[in-house]
Amino acid sequence: MSETKELTYADVSSHNGKKDLYVVVHDKVYNATTFIDEHPGGEEVLLDVGGQDATEAFEDVGHSDEAREILDGLLVGDLKRMPGDPALHQSTSSTSTSTASKAEGAGMGVGLYALVLLGGLAAFGAYKYLQMSSEAKK
């Protein structure tokens, strides 16, 4: 197996466009370029964190095990921290705190999907109601 590649924030920050996109999650560097069009949250989400530490954003959403497997396939190397680099976004001091954050993020993700689903159902119901009203007037 080859040696793990090390990249600095300066290296990563230059890869921030749609055709060349790197992100950092838990001090690992990933090339998200090939995944940008497939990302369920849309390309804007990835572009917002392109060339940066996306750990907090990644964990806040509560990604599935499948998403983490996809991420593993995009691995480029490890982040080599240098003096003057941005600080870590997520605290690694306590496992229980990070577990609680993940659970809270997952709950928010499910709640958001439920809200979107209910909104869609309400819109569909309103559409049907208006359709029936217009047919009744004819």
Side-chain angles (χ1 to χ4, degrees), residues 38-124:
E38 299 170 36
H39 189 260
E43 67 182 40
E44 301 83 22
V45 175
L46 289 177
L47 291 171
D48 284 346
V49 294
Q52 303 173 44
D53 188 341
T55 303
E56 187 174 357
F58 183 83
E59 292 300 344
D60 283 350
V61 173
H63 282 89
S64 66
D65 290 339
E66 182 183 359
R68 293 173 191 279
E69 287 176 20
I70 291 170
L71 194 63
D72 288 343
L74 303 175
L75 182 65
V76 173
D78 294 322
L79 180 69
K80 181 178 182 183
R81 292 196 170 273
M82 304 295 281
D85 283 349
L88 275 172
H89 287 257
Q90 183 171 338
S91 171
T92 56
S93 62
S94 166
T95 325
S96 62
T97 303
S98 92
T99 305
S101 308
K102 288 179 190 175
E104 193 174 295
M108 179 60 174
V110 171
L112 183 59
Y113 285 123
L115 183 63
V116 169
L117 179 63
L118 289 174
L121 287 173
F124 180 73

